[in-house]
Amino acid sequence: MLKAITGTKDILPTEMQKWNCLEKLVKEIFTSFNYKEIRTPIFEETALFARSIGEETDIVGKEMYTFLDKGQTSLTLKPEMTASVVRAFIEHSLSKHQPLNKLFYISPMFRQEKPQAGRLRQFHQFGGEALGSTSPLLDAEIIIIVYKILFKLGLKDLAVKLNSLGIPSSRENYKNLLRDFLNNSKDKLSQDSRKRLDQNILRIFDSKLESDQEILKDAPFLIDFIDEESKADFEIVKTLLNQSNIPFEIDPKLVRGLDYYTKTTFEIVSGKVGSQSALCGGGRYDLLVEQLGGEPTPGVGFAAGMERILLACENEKVLDLPHEKINLYIVKIDKNLSEKVFELAINLRDNYQIPLKENEKYQNGVISLNIPFKVEFDYLDRSVKSQMRVANNLNTNFVLFVGGEEYNTGKVILKNMSTGEQFPIAIEKCKDEIYNQFLSSYSDP
Ligand code: HAM
């Protein structure tokens, strides 16, 4: 039997309600901060990721899905969005239209990691990138946005971890200090960490091994050596988070797995999802645009793993949504009325949309958020009794009986399933009648 590729996951209809709810919330919150959505292709030239994320990182070194196309160009399925957003920002000269671009995205990503709970090879991220300002207000803003999304979902077991990596020149002196320190215990370091000593020394802090962490306990921390400007910005970020009542802790070991960061970095971890605990991560990358060939433009952003967030929701028993309802089920009493029932269903679906309350209507910059009037009927020629069973299982608001004696006098019977009331209505007027009945009983779509 053919199966989905290891590390990929089908999102089945039963799970879609939660995904849609999360995506709606993400769009709402980003829109309230005036971020605009951006979509970029699934694949890019490999060089884009190698140059931005860094040749020595795990993502570029081990995890990318890279292949040659028929023209022998090396392409890579995007492992993250920041590089793609920056590429699009430069290519379309977005800074010409406005000095500050606040962008958000929801997209699948691809990394060939070892699959486990919360770690997939195709996963989904939502995220935001603000390009064009060094202001620490934006560092705080992106942390507030993602915290707000997680908070609104109802998640409680969260910890915001914050660090500053300073600017690269302040990092160089520190790296020498750290190297001197670690060289003293070089023999005790794991093989991976010893390799990193020369290639990417800061990433040694990422080691999961207790023996490495024991050595790092007394290591000097970068945050104590960063430049004055980074320090001052970091103070502002902390003040703004305090003002917004966002609890955080300083984690001097938070170096992040991508090379483009400068100054503020952060992660939000959950205590409810096992070892892959980071729900999101991000930070400032003031040199990346220039590094990829654009005019020097500072940037800051984050990305959050949607599968991990939904796993945290499941484990914290939040985002427990009510069963989806349908609005009308048409029960066919006479088998020969199939075509009439089909026609009625088409018309009702066409013409009826639940008008939202005025204050819900134009929220989020989406022109119409009308919820479709959901109509279903029987395609399988089932008995009236079993059609009723289906109607009950579908949790319908109303049932419309078509056929029998009333039908011969030009009428159909409408039954309100929550009150049990039923009454005949004229077929020609049935659309208006059903609509009025539905609206007067409508409270929760
Ligand atoms: P990242 O830390 O590599 O950062 O990924 C962000 C989030 O994506 C992680 O915290 C995690 O929730 C999720 N994630 C990563 N890998 C996987 C995986 N294999 N399976 C499931 N979820 C995963 C970035 O991607 C940066 N682009 C963030 C950023 C944006 N920095 C600045 N702007």
Side-chain angles (χ1 to χ4, degrees):
M1 190 177 59
L2 291 172
K3 287 191 167 174
I5 306 293
T6 308
T8 68
K9 219 173 134 292
D10 298 308
I11 305 172
L12 297 173
T14 43
E15 299 163 89
M16 275 317 297
Q17 207 186 354
K18 288 190 177 180
W19 279 86
N20 285 331
C21 185
L22 175 57
E23 287 175 19
K24 185 166 175 267
L25 180 65
V26 166
K27 287 183 183 174
E28 264 172 34
I29 304 235
F30 270 119
T31 307
S32 73
F33 283 81
N34 196 29
Y35 282 63
K36 303 274 194 275
E37 188 169 1
I38 182 165
R39 297 187 189 186
T40 64
I42 289 289
F43 52 84
E44 301 266 3
E45 276 191 49
T46 303
L48 171 67
F49 301 115
R51 277 171 57 191
S52 52
I53 301 168
E55 299 272 7
E56 309 293 345
T57 59
D58 283 353
I59 297 179
V60 173
K62 302 184 197 161
E63 297 166 3
M64 294 204 303
Y65 280 98
T66 296
F67 56 96
L68 288 180
D69 73 358
K70 288 193 176 128
Q72 301 303 298
T73 307
S74 178
L75 302 177
T76 293
L77 301 185
K78 60 185 170 189
E80 61 111 44
M81 268 294 273
T82 313
S84 300
V85 169
V86 168
R87 197 261 313 132
F89 171 85
I90 298 168
E91 187 173 336
H92 303 286
S93 310
L94 294 187
S95 61
K96 290 228 170 78
H97 308 293
Q98 48 199 17
L100 177 64
N101 278 269
K102 300 204 291 183
L103 307 165
F104 81 91
Y105 47 83
I106 301 175
S107 175
M109 305 292 159
F110 307 85
R111 294 185 195 176
Q112 195 160 0
E113 293 189 81
K114 200 160 171 232
Q116 63 179 88
R119 192 158 77 189
L120 290 143
R121 291 182 168 174
Q122 175 174 342
F123 60 99
H124 296 77
Q125 286 185 341
F126 67 81
E129 314 287 346
L131 290 145
S133 166
T134 55
S135 168
L137 300 187
L138 286 163
D139 304 30
E141 182 170 288
I142 57 141
I143 299 172
I144 291 168
I145 288 174
V146 63
Y147 189 82
K148 206 167 166 181
I149 292 170
L150 301 176
F151 186 81
K152 281 215 167 191
L153 287 169
L155 291 172
K156 300 226 158 46
D157 194 347
L158 299 173
V160 180
K161 301 191 170 207
L162 207 58
N163 193 18
S164 176
L165 302 182
I167 55 171
S169 56
S170 69
R171 234 178 279 165
E172 284 316 307
N173 293 336
Y174 166 77
K175 280 187 191 166
N176 290 333
L177 257 174
L178 182 63
R179 195 166 289 115
D180 288 346
F181 172 85
L182 290 174
N183 270 331
N184 293 331
S185 320
K186 195 172 174 180
D187 300 341
K188 293 189 204 136
L189 280 174
S190 65
Q191 209 181 349
D192 265 358
S193 291
R194 244 179 287 155
K195 241 191 258 162
R196 285 176 173 164
L197 208 51
D198 300 318
Q199 293 169 347
N200 199 346
I201 189 165
L202 290 182
R203 292 292 316 284
I204 293 181
F205 284 110
D206 270 352
S207 169
K208 297 266 185 296
L209 292 174
E210 227 165 82
S211 52
D212 282 347
Q213 287 302 332
E214 187 57 32
I215 296 168
L216 289 167
K217 233 174 41 195
D218 302 318
F221 287 133
L222 174 54
I223 188 129
D224 299 321
F225 295 89
I226 58 174
D227 53 289
E228 289 307 315
E229 189 186 289
S230 299
K231 244 186 235 169
D233 284 357
F234 197 53
E235 287 309 311
I236 296 173
V237 175
K238 288 194 282 184
T239 306
L240 295 171
L241 294 182
N242 279 328
Q243 263 175 28
S244 299
N245 293 321
I246 295 191
F248 61 86
E249 56 198 71
I250 308 297
D251 180 356
K253 291 185 188 166
L254 182 71
V255 290
R256 306 272 302 128
L258 305 95
D259 279 355
Y260 48 62
Y261 291 111
T262 52
K263 297 186 175 172
T264 311
T265 53
F266 81 101
E267 275 183 9
I268 302 182
V269 298
S270 160
K272 290 283 192 293
V273 291
S275 65
Q276 299 305 307
S277 61
L279 298 188
C280 69
R284 188 159 270 291
Y285 47 88
D286 287 345
L287 305 173
L288 182 58
V289 178
E290 194 179 352
Q291 217 172 299
L292 290 177
E295 291 293 316
T297 310
V300 60
F302 78 89
M306 297 171 78
E307 283 83 358
R308 278 188 205 176
I309 289 174
L310 290 175
L311 186 62
C313 288
E314 200 178 313
N315 293 345
E316 285 207 38
K317 300 201 169 26
V318 296
L319 196 65
D320 217 354
L321 302 171
H323 283 303
E324 278 184 289
K325 285 184 169 194
I326 67 157
N327 305 119
L328 181 75
Y329 191 87
I330 307 177
V331 169
K332 183 175 50 179
I333 296 176
D334 298 333
K335 286 210 166 103
N336 59 4
L337 288 176
S338 288
E339 281 153 33
K340 182 69 197 168
V341 167
F342 181 84
E343 183 198 345
L344 265 173
I346 295 276
N347 286 340
L348 290 164
R349 288 175 185 135
D350 267 356
N351 295 330
Y352 293 100
Q353 295 229 309
I354 299 160
L356 294 181
K357 284 164 228 128
E358 208 46 46
N359 60 350
E360 291 171 0
K361 235 181 204 165
Y362 297 112
Q363 231 179 13
N364 323 325
V366 180
I367 294 302
S368 168
L369 271 180
N370 283 358
I371 299 163
F373 190 76
K374 281 190 258 177
V375 178
E376 187 55 298
F377 64 91
D378 173 50
Y379 300 80
L380 304 176
D381 278 342
R382 283 178 278 207
S383 67
V384 171
K385 199 170 156 200
S386 77
Q387 289 180 65
M388 279 309 287
R389 200 175 311 125
V390 175
N392 277 318
N393 288 343
L394 288 173
N395 214 358
T396 186
N397 298 116
F398 287 89
V399 169
L400 189 70
F401 295 96
V402 179
E405 270 172 40
E406 285 80 9
Y407 189 74
N408 297 334
T409 62
K411 294 199 169 123
V412 283
I413 302 228
L414 185 67
K415 179 172 181 179
N416 181 329
M417 296 297 276
S418 53
T419 64
E421 271 178 290
Q422 59 179 54
F423 43 88
I425 49 179
I427 293 178
E428 308 90 79
K429 289 193 192 147
C430 96
K431 289 181 191 171
D432 292 340
E433 191 67 43
I434 292 171
Y435 188 50
N436 290 337
Q437 283 290 327
F438 180 72
L439 282 186
S440 60
S441 71
Y442 165 70
S443 55
D444 182 18

